[in-house]
């Protein structure tokens, strides 16, 4: 895929919105001056401009100049040409420029369904019912409710990533961001938009639900199964060994176990249930009631068990990921705040006041399974009657975080939200999620600079970056090709809509990536390999794509007033 195009002159390879800033990044050896935007086909110069002064970008080690063509509002297909340097990959300008990527990312969840026949005419992906042994997943340990070896029905849900594990925390945090996307822009989510494969449409029946809520219900139903009768959440369902990359889902017939339990996961599970209760209510009040009861059970468990707890099972990381977190304050904050928003019951606000008073003013970080505080803050800010002083604290904390992110974007040669030390596991997800924090700040205190910088993070993952890769499969010219994904690799079918982890200079045990990092001077933003074995940079996961769904839905057909 690599070509001389697009390596020095970088653009969002999907494109730009007529109503938003448009900027390309030029990597230079010697300072350059002029640039043109040229229409494809007619090859007319539709815009000419002057590059910004060169800057040394710390994360990439590149000397870069920016080409700002925001004034160009014509729709169409273009390339960016820079005198004496070269030309970019083609890109579009159009108000629906991100729509295809939005649909791809949404569909990717359906294609990740476990225990379900996938027969998708759009991608050609096929696999039969697999991991049906989840109907009898074995308890790995005993607790007050089940004996070790007892079997539980754990059918349903999505596979986590390129592996076949099903994990409570990334699952619930993904659903939460999809539901938030829906709550923010319900008009972006319609029936029929996800072009469901026939089996999915049939199973959904004659519901009034928009497709997105059909799909999130598939995961929510599984999450409900992960909850114990006392409200606590089991951690994951997986086999004890990693299957080889050549294994199709059907071939992985090893016993599946229910592992672990955690208070942080109980908080996340409760938070998403409280949020979902509100959103399913207009369509299905009975289901909403069930979701709300699950949220309350999770909360009550946490209220009765104030100490953080994360259960480590021997053997539990030999065939699945750890997703370990040994603190839980952020997740407690979220479930209480989300219940406060959904029910209006002052009891939940009291809990925050009494047990987590410092967390109102704690600076929120990018939403992830490791930290759900931003979701808690957002719920509190949008609850009906928050305490005015507490509201101010939360508001200030969000503004402080947003302004720090904005500073980084301004400093960065590529307008990326990641600081040089943030190119770690799942950096692409974190860039987008940092952008989403800016959208939250903008919703509270509107400022176009927040929106623009959030959009910059979409540009970053879609190719305007130091490697020139679009980290989203199926989008852009230089798309990722060798995603670490078993079903993809074993079937040979390219699956669109998957966001990979991206650059990571802390590769842990990933041998290929370690070799790259130890081999020499690799700048953080270039610590990336589009190679199948590079699981620390080139795996996809449901929680990587989720913040991108939120951002793409926000900017789909975006217009500036
Ligand atoms: O996304 C996870 C990342 O934040 C962690 O640092 C990393 C190591 O624990 O694990 C990542 O998650 C993987 C999970 O453990 C197993 N399924 C695939 C996930 C994506 O690589």
């Amino acid at each position: 895929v690599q070509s001389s195009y697009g390596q020095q002159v970088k653009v969002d390879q999907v494109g730009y919105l007529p109503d938003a800033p448009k900027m390309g990044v030029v990597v230079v050896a010697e300072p350059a001056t002029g640039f043109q935007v040229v229409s494809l086909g007619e090859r007319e110069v539709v815009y000419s401009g002057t590059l910004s002064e060169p800057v040394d970008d710390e994360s990439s080690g590149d000397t870069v100049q920016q080409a700002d063509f925001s004034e160009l509002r014509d729709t169409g297909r273009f390339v960016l040409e820079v005198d004496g340097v070269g030309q970019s990959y083609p890109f579009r300008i159009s108000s629906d420029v991100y729509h295809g990527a939005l649909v791809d990312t949404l569909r990717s969840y359906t294609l990740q369904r476990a225990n379900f026949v996938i027969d998708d005419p759009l991608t050609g992906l096929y696999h039969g019912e697999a991991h049906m042994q989840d109907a009898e997943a074995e308890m790995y340990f005993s607790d007050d409710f089940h004996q070790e070896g007892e079997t539980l029905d754990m059918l349903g849900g999505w596979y986590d990533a390129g592996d076949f594990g099903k994990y409570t925390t990334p699952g619930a945090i993904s659903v939460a961001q999809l539901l938030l996307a829906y709550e923010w822009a319900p008009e972006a989510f319609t029936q029929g938009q996800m072009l469901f494969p026939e089996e999915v449409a049939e199973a959904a029946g004659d519901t009034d639900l928009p497709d997105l809520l059909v799909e999130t219900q598939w995961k929510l139903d599984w999450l409900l199964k992960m909850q114990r009768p006392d409200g606590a959440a089991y951690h994951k369902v997986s086999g004890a060994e990693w299957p080889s990359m050549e294994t199709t889902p059907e071939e992985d017939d090893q016993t599946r176990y229910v592992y672990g339990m955690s208070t942080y996961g109980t908080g996340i599970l409760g938070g998403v249930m409280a949020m979902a209760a509100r959103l399913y209510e207009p369509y299905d009040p009975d289901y909403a009631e069930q979701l709300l009861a699950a949220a309350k059970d999770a909360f009550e468990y946490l209220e009765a068990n104030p100490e953080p707890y994360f259960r480590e099972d021997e053997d539990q990381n030999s065939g699945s990921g750890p997703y370990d977190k040994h603190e839980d304050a952020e997740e407690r904050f979220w479930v209480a705040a989300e219940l406060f928003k959904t029910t209006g019951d002052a009891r939940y606000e009291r809990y925050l006041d009494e047990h987590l008073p410092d967390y109102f003013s704690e600076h929120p970080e990018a939403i992830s399974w490791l930290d759900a505080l931003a979701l808690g803050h957002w719920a509190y800010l949008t609850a009906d009657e928050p305490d005015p002083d507490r509201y101010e604290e939360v508001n200030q904390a969000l503004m402080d975080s947003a302004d720090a992110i904005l500073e980084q974007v301004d400093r960065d040669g590529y307008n990326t939200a990641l600081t040089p030390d943030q190119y770690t596991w799942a950096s692409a997800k974190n860039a987008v999620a940092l952008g989403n924090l800016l959208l939250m700040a903008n919703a509270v205190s509107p400022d176009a600079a927040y929106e623009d910088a959030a959009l910059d993070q979409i540009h970053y993952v879609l190719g305007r970056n130091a490697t020139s890769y679009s980290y989203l499969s199926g989008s852009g010219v230089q798309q990722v090709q060798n995603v670490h994904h078993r079903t993809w690799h074993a079937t040979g079918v390219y699956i669109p809509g998957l966001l990979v982890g991206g650059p990571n200079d802390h590769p842990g045990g990933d041998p290929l990536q370690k070799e790259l990092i130890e081999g020499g001077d690799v700048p953080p933003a270039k610590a990336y390999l589009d190679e199948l074995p590079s699981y620390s940079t080139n795996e996809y996961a449901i929680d990587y794509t989720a913040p991108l769904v939120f951002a793409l839905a926000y900017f789909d057909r975006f217009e500036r007033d």
Side-chain angles (χ1 to χ4, degrees):
V1 188
Q2 295 244 355
S3 74
S4 60
Y5 291 95
Q7 304 309 307
Q8 254 83 48
V9 182
K10 295 153 188 273
V11 292
D12 179 327
Q13 295 163 26
V14 173
Y16 301 87
L17 295 158
D19 257 12
K22 299 162 201 74
M23 189 272 280
V25 175
V26 187
V27 180
V28 293
E30 297 295 327
T33 315
F35 73 87
Q36 296 85 43
V37 179
V38 179
S39 64
L40 283 187
E42 308 86 358
R43 293 207 64 84
E44 266 172 43
V45 174
V46 293
Y47 188 85
S48 357
T50 307
L51 298 171
S52 67
E53 291 299 311
V55 295
D56 293 323
D57 176 63
E58 193 184 337
S59 298
S60 62
D62 292 336
T63 303
V64 301
Q65 294 178 264
Q66 298 191 339
D68 186 337
F69 51 100
S70 304
E71 283 170 15
L72 176 66
R73 300 168 71 94
D74 301 354
T75 58
R77 300 179 72 84
F78 308 93
V79 290
L80 174 62
E81 291 184 354
V82 180
D83 303 338
V85 181
Q87 89 176 39
S88 73
Y89 288 124
F91 60 89
R92 283 172 66 215
I93 297 178
S94 166
S95 67
D96 67 355
V97 70
Y98 304 123
H99 194 72
L102 174 61
V103 173
D104 282 354
T105 53
L106 288 173
R107 295 192 90 247
S108 72
Y109 290 90
T110 308
L111 301 181
Q112 282 291 117
R113 283 190 182 203
N115 322 120
F116 199 87
V117 176
I118 297 297
D119 188 357
D120 180 36
L122 255 62
T123 55
L125 186 67
Y126 175 84
H127 62 78
E129 274 185 342
H131 295 104
M132 297 313 284
Q133 65 272 38
D134 286 357
E136 296 185 341
E138 274 186 33
M139 280 295 291
Y140 191 78
F141 57 92
S142 301
D143 59 18
D144 290 348
F145 307 96
H146 303 290
Q147 291 305 306
E148 181 188 330
E150 193 182 325
T151 63
L152 303 184
D153 167 14
M154 290 296 185
L155 285 174
W158 305 314
Y159 297 127
D160 184 54
D163 64 332
F164 301 129
K166 304 192 292 193
Y167 309 77
T168 298
T169 54
I173 212 78
S174 300
V175 175
Q177 290 170 95
L178 300 184
L179 292 180
L180 199 63
Y182 171 73
E183 190 166 38
W184 277 46
E187 68 288 348
F189 299 99
T190 54
Q191 281 201 315
Q193 80 176 148
M194 282 172 64
L195 309 162
F196 281 140
E198 209 174 295
E199 292 73 12
V200 178
E202 253 168 44
D206 291 331
T207 150
D208 294 330
L209 292 169
D211 289 358
L212 175 81
L213 294 190
V214 170
E215 198 50 53
T216 46
Q217 183 162 3
W218 178 256
K219 190 69 175 182
L220 286 164
D221 286 347
W222 176 77
L223 286 165
L224 287 169
K225 295 183 181 182
M226 292 299 277
Q227 191 173 38
R228 294 197 318 206
D230 65 350
Y234 291 127
H235 192 49
K236 61 183 169 183
V237 172
S238 81
E241 277 166 40
W242 294 107
S244 81
M245 290 308 291
E246 285 69 37
T247 314
T248 63
E250 297 103 303
E251 283 163 356
D252 182 29
D253 55 7
Q254 59 178 314
T255 303
R256 305 260 281 184
Y257 296 95
V258 178
Y259 290 108
M261 190 285 261
S262 76
T263 50
Y264 101 90
T266 302
I268 297 189
L269 185 140
V272 76
M273 293 295 165
M275 187 186 237
R278 212 163 54 231
L279 300 174
Y280 283 86
E281 220 279 328
Y283 297 100
D284 188 345
D286 292 341
Y287 188 53
E289 213 172 287
Q290 197 189 343
L291 298 168
L292 187 59
K296 289 180 175 170
D297 289 351
F299 174 80
E300 272 151 33
Y301 180 85
L302 293 174
E303 201 176 33
N305 294 274
E307 289 306 313
Y309 175 75
F310 181 86
R311 189 189 161 91
E312 301 269 13
D313 290 316
E314 181 200 338
D315 204 38
Q316 84 168 13
N317 299 329
S318 51
S320 53
Y323 288 117
D324 51 333
K325 175 170 177 174
H326 300 262
E327 303 295 327
D328 62 11
E330 294 86 0
E331 291 67 40
R332 286 175 187 264
F333 192 102
W334 179 31
V335 61
E338 199 72 55
L339 275 165
F340 177 55
K341 176 172 176 174
T342 299
T343 65
D345 189 337
R347 157 182 186 192
Y348 300 111
E349 194 182 35
R350 254 194 330 270
Y351 176 87
L352 292 172
D353 250 331
E354 282 166 19
H355 298 280
L356 300 160
D358 297 342
Y359 284 82
F360 290 94
S361 57
E362 180 86 9
H363 291 172
E365 312 236 349
I367 295 170
S368 84
W369 61 267
L370 259 177
D371 194 334
L373 184 64
L375 287 165
H377 276 182
W378 178 253
Y380 193 74
L381 287 172
T382 51
D384 269 347
E385 287 181 44
D387 174 83
D389 294 336
R390 291 304 199 187
Y391 180 96
E392 214 16 72
E393 278 181 54
V394 174
N395 185 22
Q396 193 52 51
L398 176 59
M399 292 303 144
D400 290 349
S401 285
D403 290 339
I405 298 166
L406 210 52
E407 262 172 47
Q408 163 55 29
V409 171
D410 285 344
R411 192 181 317 129
D412 196 276
Y414 289 85
N415 288 15
T416 307
L418 301 167
T419 55
D421 61 352
Q422 284 179 324
Y423 289 83
T424 56
W425 212 305
S427 63
K429 165 192 82 170
N430 287 327
V432 178
L434 287 168
N436 292 347
L437 269 189
L438 298 178
L439 295 176
M440 289 184 170
N442 177 67
V444 182
S445 289
D447 181 345
Y450 289 142
E451 270 178 337
D452 295 348
L455 189 51
D456 278 326
Q457 309 320 306
I458 293 183
H459 300 324
Y460 168 75
V461 297
L462 295 179
R464 197 186 67 191
N465 58 50
T467 67
S468 296
Y469 272 99
S470 166
Y471 298 124
L472 180 68
S473 65
S475 286
V477 179
Q478 190 177 319
Q479 308 170 1
V480 288
Q481 293 296 321
N482 303 298
V483 176
H484 184 88
H485 190 286
R486 284 175 178 74
T487 307
W488 173 326
H489 186 63
T491 61
V493 176
Y494 190 107
I495 306 173
L498 312 184
L499 186 70
V500 297
N504 174 8
D505 62 3
H506 295 73
D510 174 347
L512 204 60
Q513 184 66 5
K514 252 169 86 178
E515 206 180 295
L516 174 76
I517 304 297
E518 282 161 13
D521 214 4
V522 185
K526 292 182 176 166
Y528 170 73
L529 287 172
D530 181 18
E531 306 270 358
L532 179 74
S534 184
Y535 59 83
S536 71
T537 70
N538 220 27
E539 186 161 6
Y540 134 87
I542 50 176
D543 66 308
Y544 299 179
T545 301
L548 189 57
V549 170
F550 180 86
L552 291 169
Y554 186 91
F555 287 108
D556 187 25
R557 303 197 172 91
F558 173 82
E559 284 175 22
R560 185 150 269 159
D561 327 309

